[in-house]
Amino acid sequence: MPTDVIPKFYPADPKQPQGEFAVKIYLDNPSIVGLLIGAQGAAAIYTSGGGFAALRKITIRMHSWINWLYPMPF
């Protein structure tokens, strides 16, 4: 016989992004960079090397090429 109540696990809300965090990057001299209003990008924070770091570098490069070839109209 169980001696306690079995815990209930609720699934995560599918509308919330999973594993994504919003960050703000401050540039040293933003006037030199010359980014347009609404510009966006992808970044990665590497805490150690290895296969996952190499895979992330490849996916960021693919993301950049796809955005260059097929820009999203706004």
Side-chain angles (χ1 to χ4, degrees), residues 10-32:
Y10 299 102
D13 184 16
K15 295 178 184 177
Q16 278 190 323
Q18 302 295 316
E20 297 177 4
F21 302 96
V23 296
K24 190 178 283 190
I25 299 173
Y26 294 101
L27 304 173
D28 293 335
N29 195 347
S31 61
I32 294 175

Side-chain angles (χ1 to χ4, degrees), residues 43-54:
I45 300 172
Y46 303 107
T47 57
S48 63
F52 289 113

